[in-house]
Amino acid sequence: MPKIDWRSLPVLLTAGLIIGTRSPVTPPAIGDAVETASANIAESLSQGPHLGFDTFSYPGDDAMHAWLTADKPYRWVGYYLSAPCHTDDSWEGKRETLSNMGWGMAVIYVGQQTWGRTPGQKVTVTRYVTKRVRQVKTRNGRRVVSYVNKRVPVRVLVMPRASRGSSCSTQFVGAARGTADANDAIAKTAAEGFARGTVIFLDIERMDAVPRAMRDYYSAWTKRVLEDGRFRPAYYAHSFNANLIYSDVKQVLAGAGISADPPFWIASARGFSIDKAPSDVGHAFAQVWQGVLDVVETHNGVKLPIDVNVAQLPSPSEVTPAGE
């Protein structure tokens, strides 16, 4: 991979949202974090971009060790917290194991999604009702009228509801749920033992249009993570939606007195190459680029279904690389 100079001022300001894993127990002020991160990050950036992958379920300790020692230089992995739209908990408790192996990590929280619908919008559905139906028959040349009960389809407008027991639904998207899900993400990141200042990527899947309720959701999520102060908000978003999400969350950060860019993980296959910088995706604020989706690779005899990524940092959620 060619050496890329990441030491420009905009990149260091962006990195200011990330505090080193060796920071004191009492977190510094957010303004001071920019200086601290800028000082700590220079060496970590010298050999970027850094190749990583993500996969739905934890592959197992042996598989992770096999891939780390393979010829293809994967050095970091997506670390999925159990979340409303990712209920698999197989990654839980693996942070220390992966860190000791030398893996970098990107902490992922898959929050509420729109799934192509508009939260709170009525939809037309078919329902069956019992009606008394008039029937006319001819018997012996005479018309005979009778009435019978029949179930007939009718089209009605209804307000959709989340399925009973569901944690993931278009109908949950909104500011109140954004705050609640932020509290959940904070608690789970802390429970996994991630250091103060760790970046949490809120997964926001592609939308043809971004409803107001979704904008309220991720804005409230951002505000709550900032208020708590232990971790830093970041975002996984498709290139199609990235500029709008970036603009919205920048306003939330500005309201908190933060001028630095939040970390963004951009999904887009267009022009992707593992030796390109994340910002080559077409968004100057990109720190991670996911460009190969749903492939199967085999390394050291271990086959895994993965998405392939490149990152500005060797451990996208941390300044200090794992194992150091």
Side-chain angles (χ1 to χ4, degrees):
M1 297 182 185
K3 183 174 181 179
I4 297 176
D5 183 7
W6 294 104
R7 294 184 175 84
S8 63
L9 180 58
V11 172
L12 292 177
L13 287 174
T14 300
L17 290 178
I18 312 172
I19 303 173
T21 57
R22 303 300 189 265
S23 58
V25 173
T26 302
I30 290 176
D32 294 339
V34 175
E35 262 186 64
T36 303
S38 297
N40 289 344
I41 202 170
E43 286 202 26
S44 295
L45 299 178
S46 62
Q47 298 299 321
H50 304 273
L51 191 62
F53 74 92
D54 61 282
T55 187
F56 185 89
S57 297
Y58 184 66
D61 296 350
D62 291 343
M64 293 304 297
H65 184 268
W67 272 50
L68 187 64
T69 57
D71 291 337
K72 194 165 187 176
Y74 285 118
R75 290 298 176 261
W76 64 271
V77 65
Y79 192 99
Y80 283 92
L81 303 171
S82 60
C85 295
H86 187 101
T87 56
D88 174 83
D89 62 359
S90 60
W91 292 87
E92 289 184 1
K94 293 300 181 181
R95 182 204 59 79
E96 186 174 10
T97 298
L98 291 171
S99 183
N100 288 341
M101 283 186 195
W103 280 103
M105 284 167 272
V107 179
I108 306 168
Y109 185 83
V110 186
Q112 303 299 330
Q113 310 293 331
T114 64
W115 307 128
R117 302 180 180 91
T118 301
Q121 185 178 65
K122 289 186 176 182
V123 295
T124 302
V125 299
T126 300
R127 288 185 174 170
Y128 285 85
V129 299
T130 300
K131 285 190 173 182
R132 187 172 172 80
V133 179
R134 183 174 183 267
Q135 289 185 330
V136 179
K137 294 182 179 179
T138 302
R139 294 178 184 171
N140 299 324
R142 298 177 58 187
R143 294 179 62 195
V144 178
V145 177
S146 62
Y147 293 87
V148 297
N149 291 331
K150 280 190 173 182
R151 287 181 59 78
V152 296
V154 294
R155 301 285 285 171
V156 295
L157 275 175
V158 300
M159 184 69 74
R161 296 180 180 179
S163 302
R164 187 184 298 273
S166 173
S167 64
C168 175
S169 171
T170 303
Q171 305 315 313
F172 292 153
V173 175
R177 194 61 176 235
T179 299
D181 284 354
N183 286 329
D184 183 48
I186 292 164
K188 286 175 177 171
T189 303
E192 290 300 296
F194 284 98
R196 286 180 178 270
T198 292
V199 164
I200 308 172
F201 287 92
L202 174 64
D203 183 307
I204 306 170
E205 294 295 318
R206 188 189 188 282
M207 294 166 280
D208 289 335
V210 183
R212 180 72 256 178
M214 174 54 82
R215 298 175 70 182
D216 293 341
Y217 173 82
Y218 59 67
S219 294
W221 188 92
T222 302
K223 184 173 183 289
R224 180 65 195 123
V225 174
L226 291 174
E227 287 173 346
D228 181 82
R230 280 177 283 176
F231 306 111
R232 298 288 178 262
Y235 311 88
Y236 168 95
H238 193 277
S239 179
F240 187 74
N241 306 125
N243 286 336
L244 176 61
I245 297 171
Y246 171 80
S247 176
D248 286 342
V249 299
K250 279 286 284 184
Q251 290 184 42
V252 179
L253 267 65
I258 303 170
S259 60
D261 284 343
F264 263 76
W265 180 346
I266 305 297
S268 174
R270 187 172 181 178
F272 179 81
S273 174
I274 63 173
D275 61 354
K276 284 188 176 181
S279 56
D280 288 338
V281 73
H283 303 283
F285 50 83
Q287 288 196 5
V288 188
W289 182 2
Q290 181 183 81
V292 179
L293 284 73
D294 301 324
V295 296
V296 176
E297 291 188 6
T298 302
H299 300 290
N300 278 342
V302 177
K303 180 186 294 186
L304 293 177
I306 65 168
D307 298 331
V308 180
N309 311 269
V310 292
Q312 177 176 310
L313 297 171
S315 188
S317 280
E318 307 166 299
V319 169
T320 306
E324 294 188 6

